[in-house]
């Protein structure tokens, strides 16, 4: 397997790595860098548990090759809270009890975060559409949707590691 | 609990405090089994699976696989001849002489990477001799059906399970009450139907994963995602002849279970593979495709049910046969058939009952427990028939149910007295919430609107004596650790454990930590996190442990003050005397005790509270009649009502509202109860549209999340109205009983009843689909 030298910034820290051609971004994050907050639910881009931000856009990291992330800025769930301070979005998930088993939660948070960044005041249908790629078997989605609405009302994403606000 | 907000919650039972695990789950800290790091010593395993639904294994050649660089070992059924099982020990860990379903593991390859192991599985040569296969339970009970388990009579079996050797019937439960034959002529209305449900999958977001380490010393550790750490210790130790003390099961957070991670599924495979490479941890994680092939599924059911009532709407007789398609192994499924047998009427008083409930072997994936454990399956038919009976005699469907449903102290079908519940209150709540019976306009001319109701009951289905235990230990600052063996699957068990410990001790909720991950070496015994039993049984153990600690603290302080412990109390983390009005903070004294006067010695020491709970009152049921003093510990009951629209141009259903109410005894955390009710309603709604599909050779066709669709964010109802009533359970902690499974049991029949209200069309077979509904509107039937 051909190896490649890449540079990836994960949650604000630059990482210099040598990776095989067929390694996915998900494998890179979980198995080389131990960012295990990002979950593997299907390895096929069907469940959304592995969603991360790549240059600000949500991607299924199981469908992105690590070499494609060369030079990219990646944000995982570990990069949302700042020094233990939850973002308004995360706080809204606490308020609405929108977490159960927690396995889909990292991907859901990233998708919702990306939505609020590009559309700070989404409609209910826009929220549902933004989350359609993130499967959840526990919550029934309603509390997640309500949490995103609350976060939108509160307005502050507080994503310092990404350099945004 | 957010770190940003310091809070102080006194008397937390009954309050919607935040989950203890929420911060870790929102920040990616929460550890799941696949997140544990094992370092470079770790090996990976992949399984060779049967391409046939039923075949004899003639020969396995592993030499080519072993030649692949990086392959460390190949293990076959010959290396692992052991059988394993929960209630009926009928399942091979790796197939021996015979495979009984497509995808059955026949060998495992261990290598230095998952990719190498996967590549080498293709080089394991297995020679099969195909056998005739049988896929439906009704075909499987025919005398000329291929016999799947010729050794059925030899298997070890629980005392309350009755297989029929020489047939494919792995359990036959009989319920006989009154005399149905003499009751039929007295019925003013009789409805009879055959109802079919397909196998469906749990689809937890976290696939099954196990890492096993067999050390040269004989110590075995299994890190796994499971609802059943202690049950796995017992079953795997028995099966593989490992001393229980040498087998340690460690289970961090579970990414959804729904019954699919109960008992033993693939975990024993990981252990027998690790046995071949002692000293190396071996990781076996299933792909999403394997989840649909090689784990347990909800069993299929063919129900033939006939129920009759008199002209006033009093139920008189019921005759029913339930044939569960149990798949290739029924080690756990036998008890689902039994549970469906002793609860076969649903939540109704019927004086004359003849019920037969069987689990039947078929050459399909293994049937096993899933949220509701037989109850969603049987209620699908029962609840549609109840609507039809009400309609026939001209009674409102809610009123028909109020009249006939079980009530406190009723003698139910097994002869047991019904513990206190209020199902009528649940019916009232959902009926009102959707204005059942009030016709409302559809949103467009090509749509039709309908409303429907369904009610349910379910008892924890388990052996008579499953136990729980708990320990409470303090830190110097009087914060405390609650040790339990119950698992956190998302339902909130850790949170209610913390609430109950805080309440029973008299300390703030925020002072309590739950000792996790669950580790059988350190965590107190808990049978399994199944059957919606944890809030009740673990709760009793936690309460007892906290009360034990409280008693010790009060005795020390009373001795120190020269007072009577009965005059003392603990409030907000301080011991107070109602008599002398003295105060003693718990800090330090719970570890170091208190000095005697002038430091002439000390009193007390580190406080450790212990508690346990085990139901001791469940009795045997008569083999011929299913009658006995106490069949089960208790029942949880509830009602759901659905308001929906059907698009007559497409057959598409839109659920507008689901109202759902259960008698939970006591809501320890009301918002967690509502979260269960909402999530369960959506799970129940999803289940009405789900089906595993197979080709004519028994090969699953929809083995991905694209082909096997579950409800997504865009499919959810506009509104879910959750509610509960609180009729205390006599032996529940603060009166609480479980509600985790019940919340999806009757959603599918409530939808079916609403569709009938909208269209006047009944569907006896699941799954529903837009296509099926559209064709029915055209007067056509769908071929399956």
């Amino acid at each position: 397997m051909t190896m490649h030298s890449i540079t990836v910034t994960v949650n604000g820290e630059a990482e210099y790595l040598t990776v095989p051609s067929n390694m996915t971004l998900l494998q890179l994050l979980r198995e080389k860098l131990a960012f295990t907050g990002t979950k593997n639910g299907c390895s096929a881009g069907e469940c959304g548990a592995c969603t991360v931000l790549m240059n600000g856009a949500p991607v299924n990291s199981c469908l992105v090759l690590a070499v494609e992330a060369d030079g990219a800025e990646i944000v995982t769930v570990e990069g949302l809270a700042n020094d233990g301070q939850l973002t308004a979005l995360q706080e809204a998930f606490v308020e609405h009890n929108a977490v159960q088993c927690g396995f889909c939660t990292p991907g859901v948070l990233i998708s919702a975060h990306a939505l609020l960044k590009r559309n700070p005041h989404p409609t209910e249908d826009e929220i549902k559409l933004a989350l359609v790629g993130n499967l959840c078997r526990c919550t029934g989605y309603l509390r997640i949707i309500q949490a995103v609405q609350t976060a939108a009302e509160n307005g502050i994403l507080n994503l310092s590691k990404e350099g945004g606000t | 609990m957010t770190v940003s907000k310091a809070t102080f919650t006194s008397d937390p039972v009954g309050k919607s405090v935040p989950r203890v695990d929420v911060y870790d789950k929102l920040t990616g800290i929460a550890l799941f089994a696949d997140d544990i790091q094992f370092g470079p010593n770790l090996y990976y395993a992949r399984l060779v699976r049967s391409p046939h639904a039923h075949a004899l294994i003639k020969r396995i050649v592993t030499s080519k696989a072993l030649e692949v660089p990086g392959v460390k070992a190949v293990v076959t059924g010959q290396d692992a001849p052991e059988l394993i099982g929960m209630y009926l020990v009928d399942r091979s860990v790796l197939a021996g002489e015979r495979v009984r379903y497509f995808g059955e593991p026949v060998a495992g390859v261990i290598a230095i990477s998952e990719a190498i192991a996967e590549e080498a599985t293709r080089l394991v040569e297995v020679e099969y001799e195909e056998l005739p296969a049988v896929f439906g339970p009704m075909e499987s009970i025919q005398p000329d059906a291929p016999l799947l388990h010729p050794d059925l009579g030899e298997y070890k079996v629980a005392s309350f399970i009755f297989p029929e050797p020489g047939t494919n019937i792995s359990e036959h439960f009989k319920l006989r009450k009154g005399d149905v034959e003499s009751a039929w002529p007295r019925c003013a209305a009789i409805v009879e139907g055959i109802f079919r449900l397909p196998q469906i999958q749990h689809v937890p977001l976290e696939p099954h994963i196990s890492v096993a380490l067999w050390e040269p010393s004989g110590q075995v550790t299994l890190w796994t995602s499971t609802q059943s750490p202690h049950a796995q210790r017992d079953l795997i130790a028995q099966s593989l002849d490992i001393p229980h003390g040498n087998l340690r099961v460690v289970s961090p957070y579970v990414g959804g279970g729904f019954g699919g991670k109960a008992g033993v599924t693939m975990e024993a495979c990981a252990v027998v593979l690790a046995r071949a490479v002692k000293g190396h941890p071996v990781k076996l994680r299933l792909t999403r495709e394997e989840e649909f092939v090689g784990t347990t599924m909800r069993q299929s059911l063919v129900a033939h049910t006939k129920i009759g009532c008199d002209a006033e709407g009093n139920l008189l007789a019921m005759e029913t046969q339930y044939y569960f398609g149990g798949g290739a192994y029924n080690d756990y499924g036998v008890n689902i058939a039994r549970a469906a047998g002793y609860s076969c009427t649903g939540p109704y008083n019927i004086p004359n009952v003849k019920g037969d409930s069987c689990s039947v072997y078929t050459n399909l994936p293994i049937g096993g427990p899933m949220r509701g454990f037989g109850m969603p399956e049987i209620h699908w038919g029962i609840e549609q028939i109840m609507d039809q009976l009400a309609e026939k005699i001209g009674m409102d469907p809610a009123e028909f149910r109020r009249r006939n449903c079980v009530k406190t102290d009723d003698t139910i079908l097994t002869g047991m007295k019904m513990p206190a519940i209020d199902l009528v209150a649940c019916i009232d709540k959902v009926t009102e919430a959707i204005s059942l019976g009030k016709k409302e306009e559809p949103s467009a001319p090509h749509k039709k609107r309908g409303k429907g109701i369904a009610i349910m009951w379910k008892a924890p289905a388990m052996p008579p004596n499953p136990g729980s235990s708990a320990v409470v230990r303090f830190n110097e600052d009087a914060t405390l650790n609650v040790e339990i063996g119950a698992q956190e699957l998302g339902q909130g068990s850790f949170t209610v454990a913390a609430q109950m410990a805080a309440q029973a001790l008299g300390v703030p909720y925020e002072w309590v930590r739950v000792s996790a991950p669950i580790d059988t070496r350190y965590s107190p015994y808990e049978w399994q996190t199944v059957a919606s039993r944890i809030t009740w049984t673990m709760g009793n153990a936690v309460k007892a442990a906290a009360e034990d600690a409280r008693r010790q603290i009060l005795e020390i302080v009373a001795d120190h003050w020269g007072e009577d412990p009965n005059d003392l109390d603990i409030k907000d983390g301080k011991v107070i005397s109602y008599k002398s009005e003295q105060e003693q903070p718990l800090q330090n004294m719970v570890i170091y005790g208190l000095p005697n006067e002038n430091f002439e010695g000390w009193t007390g020491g580190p406080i450790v509270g212990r508690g346990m709970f085990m139901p001791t009152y469940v009795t045997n049921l008569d083999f011929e009649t299913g009658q006995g003093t106490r069949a089960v510990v208790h029942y949880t009951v509830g009602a759901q009502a659905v308001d929906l629209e059907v698009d007559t141009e497409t057959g598409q259903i839109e659920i507008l509202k689901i109202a759902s109410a259960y008698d939970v005894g006591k809501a320890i955390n009301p918002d967690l109860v509502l979260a269960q009710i909402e999530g369960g309603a959506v799970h129940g709604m999803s289940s009405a549209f789900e089906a595993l599909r197979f080709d004519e050779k028994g090969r699953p066709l929809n083995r991905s999340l694209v082909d096997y669709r579950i409800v997504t964010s865009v499919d959810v109802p506009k509104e879910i109205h959750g509610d509960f009533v609180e009729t205390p359970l006599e032996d529940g902690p603060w009166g609480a009983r479980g509600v985790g499974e019940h919340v999806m049991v009757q959603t599918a029949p409530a939808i079916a009843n609403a569709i009938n209200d909208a269209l006047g069309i009944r569907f006896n077979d699941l799954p529903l689909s837009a296509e099926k509904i559209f064709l029915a509107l055209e007067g056509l039937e769908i071929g399956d």
Side-chain angles (χ1 to χ4, degrees), chain A residues 30 39 41 84 90-91 100 128 137 141 143, chain B residues 3 25-26 34-35 202 288 678 690 711 713:
Chain A
R30 287 185 54 84
K39 302 303 180 197
Q90 289 167 315
E91 292 280 7
Q100 288 192 27
K128 287 179 177 179
R137 193 61 148 173
Y141 303 101
R143 284 163 181 266
Chain B
V3 291
K25 286 180 173 176
L26 284 167
D34 197 26
D35 301 340
H202 312 74
R288 182 55 64 180
E678 289 167 28
E690 295 175 22
V711 160
S713 56

PDB file of all heavy atoms in Angstrom, chain A residues 30 39 41 84 90-91 100 128 137 141 143, chain B residues 3 25-26 34-35 202 288 678 690 711 713:
ATOM      1  N   ARG A  30     -10.159   8.016  14.507  1.00  0.00           N
ATOM      2  CA  ARG A  30     -10.404   7.090  15.621  1.00  0.00           C
ATOM      3  C   ARG A  30      -9.172   6.261  15.967  1.00  0.00           C
ATOM      4  O   ARG A  30      -8.858   6.061  17.139  1.00  0.00           O
ATOM      5  CB  ARG A  30     -11.563   6.138  15.292  1.00  0.00           C
ATOM      6  CG  ARG A  30     -12.937   6.794  15.329  1.00  0.00           C
ATOM      7  CD  ARG A  30     -14.034   5.748  15.124  1.00  0.00           C
ATOM      8  NE  ARG A  30     -13.912   4.654  16.075  1.00  0.00           N
ATOM      9  CZ  ARG A  30     -14.389   4.676  17.312  1.00  0.00           C
ATOM     10  NH1 ARG A  30     -15.053   5.734  17.743  1.00  0.00           N
ATOM     11  NH2 ARG A  30     -14.218   3.641  18.109  1.00  0.00           N
ATOM     12  N   LYS A  39     -18.101   8.453  15.848  1.00  0.00           N
ATOM     13  CA  LYS A  39     -18.478   7.033  15.923  1.00  0.00           C
ATOM     14  C   LYS A  39     -18.600   6.395  14.545  1.00  0.00           C
ATOM     15  O   LYS A  39     -18.907   7.058  13.552  1.00  0.00           O
ATOM     16  CB  LYS A  39     -19.821   6.895  16.659  1.00  0.00           C
ATOM     17  CG  LYS A  39     -19.825   7.474  18.062  1.00  0.00           C
ATOM     18  CD  LYS A  39     -18.759   6.857  18.942  1.00  0.00           C
ATOM     19  CE  LYS A  39     -18.778   7.447  20.341  1.00  0.00           C
ATOM     20  NZ  LYS A  39     -17.537   7.169  21.073  1.00  0.00           N
ATOM     21  N   GLY A  41     -20.889   3.809  12.714  1.00  0.00           N
ATOM     22  CA  GLY A  41     -22.128   3.045  12.795  1.00  0.00           C
ATOM     23  C   GLY A  41     -22.390   2.168  11.594  1.00  0.00           C
ATOM     24  O   GLY A  41     -23.221   1.266  11.648  1.00  0.00           O
ATOM     25  N   GLY A  84     -14.247  22.944  28.544  1.00  0.00           N
ATOM     26  CA  GLY A  84     -15.330  22.436  29.386  1.00  0.00           C
ATOM     27  C   GLY A  84     -16.614  23.236  29.292  1.00  0.00           C
ATOM     28  O   GLY A  84     -17.628  22.844  29.866  1.00  0.00           O
ATOM     29  N   GLN A  90     -25.002  22.536  22.554  1.00  0.00           N
ATOM     30  CA  GLN A  90     -24.874  21.435  23.518  1.00  0.00           C
ATOM     31  C   GLN A  90     -25.738  21.689  24.757  1.00  0.00           C
ATOM     32  O   GLN A  90     -26.389  20.767  25.272  1.00  0.00           O
ATOM     33  CB  GLN A  90     -23.406  21.266  23.908  1.00  0.00           C
ATOM     34  CG  GLN A  90     -22.558  20.676  22.773  1.00  0.00           C
ATOM     35  CD  GLN A  90     -21.067  20.789  23.045  1.00  0.00           C
ATOM     36  OE1 GLN A  90     -20.585  21.839  23.476  1.00  0.00           O
ATOM     37  NE2 GLN A  90     -20.331  19.712  22.802  1.00  0.00           N
ATOM     38  N   GLU A  91     -25.748  22.934  25.230  1.00  0.00           N
ATOM     39  CA  GLU A  91     -26.589  23.279  26.379  1.00  0.00           C
ATOM     40  C   GLU A  91     -28.061  22.998  26.080  1.00  0.00           C
ATOM     41  O   GLU A  91     -28.806  22.523  26.938  1.00  0.00           O
ATOM     42  CB  GLU A  91     -26.434  24.768  26.749  1.00  0.00           C
ATOM     43  CG  GLU A  91     -25.078  25.154  27.306  1.00  0.00           C
ATOM     44  CD  GLU A  91     -24.915  24.795  28.780  1.00  0.00           C
ATOM     45  OE1 GLU A  91     -25.808  24.123  29.338  1.00  0.00           O
ATOM     46  OE2 GLU A  91     -23.880  25.180  29.351  1.00  0.00           O
ATOM     47  N   GLN A 100     -29.876  10.145  24.457  1.00  0.00           N
ATOM     48  CA  GLN A 100     -30.131   8.916  25.207  1.00  0.00           C
ATOM     49  C   GLN A 100     -28.859   8.065  25.199  1.00  0.00           C
ATOM     50  O   GLN A 100     -27.959   8.289  25.986  1.00  0.00           O
ATOM     51  CB  GLN A 100     -31.373   8.192  24.702  1.00  0.00           C
ATOM     52  CG  GLN A 100     -32.661   8.950  25.107  1.00  0.00           C
ATOM     53  CD  GLN A 100     -33.933   8.155  24.902  1.00  0.00           C
ATOM     54  OE1 GLN A 100     -33.946   6.941  24.928  1.00  0.00           O
ATOM     55  NE2 GLN A 100     -35.032   8.856  24.678  1.00  0.00           N
ATOM     56  N   LYS A 128     -35.027  19.537  10.131  1.00  0.00           N
ATOM     57  CA  LYS A 128     -35.266  18.120   9.830  1.00  0.00           C
ATOM     58  C   LYS A 128     -34.433  17.670   8.632  1.00  0.00           C
ATOM     59  O   LYS A 128     -33.836  16.588   8.644  1.00  0.00           O
ATOM     60  CB  LYS A 128     -36.749  17.873   9.547  1.00  0.00           C
ATOM     61  CG  LYS A 128     -37.627  17.938  10.790  1.00  0.00           C
ATOM     62  CD  LYS A 128     -39.084  17.693  10.400  1.00  0.00           C
ATOM     63  CE  LYS A 128     -39.990  17.675  11.617  1.00  0.00           C
ATOM     64  NZ  LYS A 128     -41.385  17.456  11.255  1.00  0.00           N
ATOM     65  N   ARG A 137     -31.994   6.026  16.948  1.00  0.00           N
ATOM     66  CA  ARG A 137     -33.008   5.016  17.244  1.00  0.00           C
ATOM     67  C   ARG A 137     -33.659   5.239  18.603  1.00  0.00           C
ATOM     68  O   ARG A 137     -34.668   4.616  18.903  1.00  0.00           O
ATOM     69  CB  ARG A 137     -32.349   3.634  17.195  1.00  0.00           C
ATOM     70  CG  ARG A 137     -33.302   2.449  17.184  1.00  0.00           C
ATOM     71  CD  ARG A 137     -34.238   2.422  15.993  1.00  0.00           C
ATOM     72  NE  ARG A 137     -34.556   1.057  15.595  1.00  0.00           N
ATOM     73  CZ  ARG A 137     -35.443   0.731  14.669  1.00  0.00           C
ATOM     74  NH1 ARG A 137     -36.127   1.693  14.038  1.00  0.00           N
ATOM     75  NH2 ARG A 137     -35.650  -0.516  14.336  1.00  0.00           N
ATOM     76  N   TYR A 141     -36.200  11.846  17.606  1.00  0.00           N
ATOM     77  CA  TYR A 141     -35.795  13.078  16.910  1.00  0.00           C
ATOM     78  C   TYR A 141     -36.430  14.365  17.429  1.00  0.00           C
ATOM     79  O   TYR A 141     -35.851  15.434  17.290  1.00  0.00           O
ATOM     80  CB  TYR A 141     -36.072  13.003  15.393  1.00  0.00           C
ATOM     81  CG  TYR A 141     -35.409  11.849  14.698  1.00  0.00           C
ATOM     82  CD1 TYR A 141     -36.125  10.695  14.379  1.00  0.00           C
ATOM     83  CD2 TYR A 141     -34.060  11.893  14.346  1.00  0.00           C
ATOM     84  CE1 TYR A 141     -35.526   9.621  13.733  1.00  0.00           C
ATOM     85  CE2 TYR A 141     -33.455  10.821  13.695  1.00  0.00           C
ATOM     86  CZ  TYR A 141     -34.199   9.693  13.384  1.00  0.00           C
ATOM     87  OH  TYR A 141     -33.615   8.627  12.751  1.00  0.00           O
ATOM     88  N   ARG A 143     -36.973  15.827  20.265  1.00  0.00           N
ATOM     89  CA  ARG A 143     -36.217  16.614  21.245  1.00  0.00           C
ATOM     90  C   ARG A 143     -34.944  17.188  20.621  1.00  0.00           C
ATOM     91  O   ARG A 143     -34.495  18.268  20.999  1.00  0.00           O
ATOM     92  CB  ARG A 143     -35.887  15.755  22.457  1.00  0.00           C
ATOM     93  CG  ARG A 143     -37.085  15.561  23.347  1.00  0.00           C
ATOM     94  CD  ARG A 143     -36.917  14.418  24.320  1.00  0.00           C
ATOM     95  NE  ARG A 143     -38.109  14.277  25.133  1.00  0.00           N
ATOM     96  CZ  ARG A 143     -38.262  14.852  26.338  1.00  0.00           C
ATOM     97  NH1 ARG A 143     -37.278  15.560  26.875  1.00  0.00           N
ATOM     98  NH2 ARG A 143     -39.386  14.692  27.001  1.00  0.00           N
TER      99      ARG A 143
ATOM    100  N   VAL B   3     -20.898  21.207  33.416  1.00  0.00           N
ATOM    101  CA  VAL B   3     -19.894  21.712  34.353  1.00  0.00           C
ATOM    102  C   VAL B   3     -20.055  23.207  34.568  1.00  0.00           C
ATOM    103  O   VAL B   3     -19.577  23.753  35.535  1.00  0.00           O
ATOM    104  CB  VAL B   3     -18.467  21.420  33.866  1.00  0.00           C
ATOM    105  CG1 VAL B   3     -18.187  19.940  33.935  1.00  0.00           C
ATOM    106  CG2 VAL B   3     -18.233  21.964  32.490  1.00  0.00           C
ATOM    107  N   LYS B  25     -21.536  12.535  27.041  1.00  0.00           N
ATOM    108  CA  LYS B  25     -22.083  12.136  25.745  1.00  0.00           C
ATOM    109  C   LYS B  25     -22.146  13.301  24.759  1.00  0.00           C
ATOM    110  O   LYS B  25     -22.185  13.093  23.555  1.00  0.00           O
ATOM    111  CB  LYS B  25     -23.466  11.496  25.927  1.00  0.00           C
ATOM    112  CG  LYS B  25     -23.371  10.081  26.515  1.00  0.00           C
ATOM    113  CD  LYS B  25     -24.712   9.405  26.723  1.00  0.00           C
ATOM    114  CE  LYS B  25     -24.513   7.949  27.140  1.00  0.00           C
ATOM    115  NZ  LYS B  25     -25.800   7.285  27.437  1.00  0.00           N
ATOM    116  N   LEU B  26     -22.148  14.515  25.264  1.00  0.00           N
ATOM    117  CA  LEU B  26     -22.182  15.679  24.374  1.00  0.00           C
ATOM    118  C   LEU B  26     -20.801  16.149  23.945  1.00  0.00           C
ATOM    119  O   LEU B  26     -20.671  16.951  23.032  1.00  0.00           O
ATOM    120  CB  LEU B  26     -22.901  16.853  25.071  1.00  0.00           C
ATOM    121  CG  LEU B  26     -24.418  16.756  25.134  1.00  0.00           C
ATOM    122  CD1 LEU B  26     -24.971  17.788  26.107  1.00  0.00           C
ATOM    123  CD2 LEU B  26     -25.039  16.925  23.752  1.00  0.00           C
ATOM    124  N   ASP B  34     -15.828   0.125  21.386  1.00  0.00           N
ATOM    125  CA  ASP B  34     -14.853   0.234  20.293  1.00  0.00           C
ATOM    126  C   ASP B  34     -13.878   1.390  20.518  1.00  0.00           C
ATOM    127  O   ASP B  34     -12.923   1.552  19.764  1.00  0.00           O
ATOM    128  CB  ASP B  34     -15.585   0.405  18.948  1.00  0.00           C
ATOM    129  CG  ASP B  34     -14.687   0.104  17.751  1.00  0.00           C
ATOM    130  OD1 ASP B  34     -13.721  -0.668  17.907  1.00  0.00           O
ATOM    131  OD2 ASP B  34     -14.945   0.649  16.662  1.00  0.00           O
ATOM    132  N   ASP B  35     -14.134   2.204  21.541  1.00  0.00           N
ATOM    133  CA  ASP B  35     -13.270   3.364  21.796  1.00  0.00           C
ATOM    134  C   ASP B  35     -12.086   3.008  22.692  1.00  0.00           C
ATOM    135  O   ASP B  35     -11.157   3.800  22.837  1.00  0.00           O
ATOM    136  CB  ASP B  35     -14.074   4.482  22.486  1.00  0.00           C
ATOM    137  CG  ASP B  35     -15.262   4.937  21.662  1.00  0.00           C
ATOM    138  OD1 ASP B  35     -15.271   4.698  20.442  1.00  0.00           O
ATOM    139  OD2 ASP B  35     -16.200   5.522  22.241  1.00  0.00           O
ATOM    140  N   HIS B 202     -33.261  -4.638  15.438  1.00  0.00           N
ATOM    141  CA  HIS B 202     -33.234  -3.588  16.455  1.00  0.00           C
ATOM    142  C   HIS B 202     -32.618  -2.287  15.927  1.00  0.00           C
ATOM    143  O   HIS B 202     -33.050  -1.208  16.302  1.00  0.00           O
ATOM    144  CB  HIS B 202     -32.420  -4.053  17.650  1.00  0.00           C
ATOM    145  CG  HIS B 202     -32.772  -5.429  18.136  1.00  0.00           C
ATOM    146  ND1 HIS B 202     -32.415  -6.565  17.460  1.00  0.00           N
ATOM    147  CD2 HIS B 202     -33.456  -5.845  19.224  1.00  0.00           C
ATOM    148  CE1 HIS B 202     -32.868  -7.618  18.111  1.00  0.00           C
ATOM    149  NE2 HIS B 202     -33.500  -7.212  19.175  1.00  0.00           N
ATOM    150  N   ARG B 288     -22.245  -3.258   9.678  1.00  0.00           N
ATOM    151  CA  ARG B 288     -23.693  -3.021   9.658  1.00  0.00           C
ATOM    152  C   ARG B 288     -24.402  -4.145   8.916  1.00  0.00           C
ATOM    153  O   ARG B 288     -25.485  -4.583   9.307  1.00  0.00           O
ATOM    154  CB  ARG B 288     -23.985  -1.659   9.021  1.00  0.00           C
ATOM    155  CG  ARG B 288     -25.451  -1.272   8.991  1.00  0.00           C
ATOM    156  CD  ARG B 288     -26.143  -1.301  10.351  1.00  0.00           C
ATOM    157  NE  ARG B 288     -25.608  -0.353  11.292  1.00  0.00           N
ATOM    158  CZ  ARG B 288     -26.069  -0.208  12.537  1.00  0.00           C
ATOM    159  NH1 ARG B 288     -27.083  -0.953  12.975  1.00  0.00           N
ATOM    160  NH2 ARG B 288     -25.511   0.658  13.363  1.00  0.00           N
ATOM    161  N   GLU B 678     -41.714   9.266  24.090  1.00  0.00           N
ATOM    162  CA  GLU B 678     -41.607   9.833  22.740  1.00  0.00           C
ATOM    163  C   GLU B 678     -40.749   8.963  21.836  1.00  0.00           C
ATOM    164  O   GLU B 678     -41.139   8.626  20.707  1.00  0.00           O
ATOM    165  CB  GLU B 678     -40.986  11.245  22.814  1.00  0.00           C
ATOM    166  CG  GLU B 678     -41.928  12.262  23.422  1.00  0.00           C
ATOM    167  CD  GLU B 678     -41.201  13.554  23.765  1.00  0.00           C
ATOM    168  OE1 GLU B 678     -40.198  13.885  23.123  1.00  0.00           O
ATOM    169  OE2 GLU B 678     -41.659  14.236  24.704  1.00  0.00           O
ATOM    170  N   GLU B 690     -41.187  -1.723   8.982  1.00  0.00           N
ATOM    171  CA  GLU B 690     -39.914  -2.437   8.823  1.00  0.00           C
ATOM    172  C   GLU B 690     -40.146  -3.924   8.566  1.00  0.00           C
ATOM    173  O   GLU B 690     -41.074  -4.516   9.101  1.00  0.00           O
ATOM    174  CB  GLU B 690     -39.064  -2.292  10.091  1.00  0.00           C
ATOM    175  CG  GLU B 690     -38.616  -0.867  10.369  1.00  0.00           C
ATOM    176  CD  GLU B 690     -37.868  -0.743  11.695  1.00  0.00           C
ATOM    177  OE1 GLU B 690     -37.331  -1.748  12.192  1.00  0.00           O
ATOM    178  OE2 GLU B 690     -37.841   0.373  12.230  1.00  0.00           O
ATOM    179  N   VAL B 711     -37.140   5.041  10.652  1.00  0.00           N
ATOM    180  CA  VAL B 711     -37.669   6.403  10.617  1.00  0.00           C
ATOM    181  C   VAL B 711     -36.536   7.417  10.772  1.00  0.00           C
ATOM    182  O   VAL B 711     -35.633   7.236  11.583  1.00  0.00           O
ATOM    183  CB  VAL B 711     -38.729   6.577  11.730  1.00  0.00           C
ATOM    184  CG1 VAL B 711     -38.947   8.045  12.066  1.00  0.00           C
ATOM    185  CG2 VAL B 711     -40.050   5.952  11.295  1.00  0.00           C
ATOM    186  N   SER B 713     -35.435  11.860  10.637  1.00  0.00           N
ATOM    187  CA  SER B 713     -35.935  13.127  11.189  1.00  0.00           C
ATOM    188  C   SER B 713     -37.093  13.710  10.383  1.00  0.00           C
ATOM    189  O   SER B 713     -37.914  14.439  10.935  1.00  0.00           O
ATOM    190  CB  SER B 713     -34.794  14.145  11.275  1.00  0.00           C
ATOM    191  OG  SER B 713     -34.208  14.321   9.994  1.00  0.00           O
TER     192      SER B 713
END
